[in-house]
Amino acid sequence: MRINQNTSIDCGNLVLVPYLERHVLKYHNWMKNPKLQELTCSEPLTLEEEFQMQKSWLEDEDKLTFIVIYRQGVENKKPQILHEILFHRNEDMIGDVNMFLTEGYEEVEDDPAAAEDENQNSSTYTQGELELMIAKPEYRGKGLGTTIAEAFLYYMEVSGLVASKGIAKYIIKVGSKNVPSLRLFKKIGFQQTKYVACFDQVEMEKPLH
Ligand SMILES: CC(C)(COP(=O)(O)OP(=O)(O)OC[C@H]1O[C@@H](n2cnc3c(N)ncnc32)[C@H](O)[C@@H]1OP(=O)(O)O)[C@@H](O)C(=O)NCCC(=O)NCCS
């Protein structure tokens, strides 16, 4: 999305900045790691594909992403939205957080009038699928993932995106054995709605209305 192309979310020790061309090589190298591919349920891309992906994350109106920067020796604070890209070194990149907007469908039950018309049997809504990754293991398990998820969802509200995109719910898809991720999302209000056995994957959601 273009909305965050000149935005930083400053949480003191963590700063979220837009995904820029200068971040691609490091991100691409992270994603060569099979363990990270497994944890994030993702497929490896070529470097060229990753550059295209970066462009699409920056431009497409259904995708929002931030790169996470860690600042050593700075206190954690409440997220503050800045209309600039804060100075940072690529060496301090530790992960990313993003959301992909899709359309969800809901069956309309027990409505005989609707049942006569196939088109009225379901209603559609917009949902935001959240993904979060701390690529460097030494930064995990210190509460940073929780701070990043909360800062991102705070930005979704205060930027007006929840309202302007009409987002009805957030969802996440995560491997059933990914305990830190399951605990993190439960803690911030997500509840399990599905288990997809063929992927050994849990889906959790957080309704917004
Ligand atoms: C999943 C991930 C984002 C969590 O971030 P994190 O900073 O490690 O998590 P936090 O320190 O904020 O902890 C979140 C919760 O998980 C628990 N937790 C963290 N590490 C844990 C571990 N190794 N084992 C068990 N519980 C753990 C914490 O205690 C906390 O729960 P609590 O508050 O109920 O006690 C991070 O571990 C990560 O990026 N992993 C690799 C990529 C990935 O799995 N992404 C998720 C795909 S959606």
Side-chain angles (χ1 to χ4, degrees):
M1 276 180 209
R2 294 189 178 276
I3 188 171
N4 76 325
Q5 65 182 359
N6 202 29
T7 302
S8 304
I9 309 175
D10 181 3
C11 308
N13 58 346
L14 293 167
V15 179
L16 278 54
V17 295
Y19 184 26
L20 305 173
E21 272 187 6
R22 59 177 275 199
H23 301 130
V24 171
L25 193 56
K26 183 154 192 158
Y27 191 86
H28 177 69
N29 284 333
W30 284 343
M31 297 317 295
K32 287 180 184 165
N33 180 334
K35 185 71 191 160
L36 263 186
Q37 290 168 18
E38 183 197 322
L39 284 169
T40 56
C41 312
S42 57
E43 299 287 327
L45 300 179
T46 64
L47 184 57
E48 195 183 15
E49 287 168 335
E50 192 55 57
F51 271 107
Q52 283 164 5
M53 192 59 92
Q54 180 270 332
K55 197 167 181 298
S56 97
W57 278 107
L58 202 66
E59 293 177 356
D60 294 358
E61 283 308 304
D62 56 357
K63 300 186 182 93
L64 179 73
T65 189
F66 285 97
I67 288 290
V68 180
I69 308 295
Y70 184 76
R71 296 197 296 192
Q72 198 75 43
V74 183
E75 288 282 296
N76 179 247
K77 63 171 188 178
K78 281 191 180 164
Q80 188 187 0
I81 312 297
L82 305 174
H83 301 291
E84 61 177 314
I85 300 175
L86 276 192
F87 171 79
H88 59 278
R89 303 177 316 159
N90 277 12
E91 302 95 274
D92 298 331
M93 279 171 69
I94 62 163
D96 80 315
V97 56
N98 63 62
M99 183 167 280
F100 182 42
L101 302 183
T102 55
E103 206 167 68
Y105 298 88
E106 213 153 63
E107 293 296 320
V108 178
E109 285 172 20
D110 297 334
D111 182 351
E116 284 172 22
D117 180 351
E118 267 190 15
N119 295 327
Q120 289 181 22
N121 263 345
S122 64
S123 66
T124 61
Y125 54 83
T126 301
Q127 61 187 14
E129 183 175 341
L130 184 60
E131 291 173 334
L132 170 56
M133 173 182 78
I134 297 178
K136 295 183 169 181
E138 64 271 28
Y139 290 90
R140 295 182 197 146
K142 300 177 189 311
L144 301 180
T146 306
T147 301
I148 297 163
E150 287 176 337
F152 184 92
L153 298 184
Y154 170 74
Y155 176 75
M156 290 298 297
E157 289 288 343
V158 298
S159 63
L161 279 169
V162 169
S164 67
K165 300 286 185 188
I167 301 172
K169 62 171 83 157
Y170 297 132
I171 65 164
I172 62 139
K173 294 176 186 172
V174 55
S176 74
K177 295 175 191 69
N178 192 336
V179 177
S181 190
L182 295 169
R183 286 184 67 161
L184 186 161
F185 287 106
K186 187 168 179 215
K187 186 168 62 174
I188 64 169
F190 284 71
Q191 283 186 341
Q192 183 173 337
T193 48
K194 255 189 224 171
Y195 172 68
V196 184
C198 59
F199 299 125
D200 191 20
Q201 215 174 54
V202 168
E203 287 191 24
M204 296 173 92
E205 63 180 54
K206 177 175 177 164
L208 293 182
H209 305 298

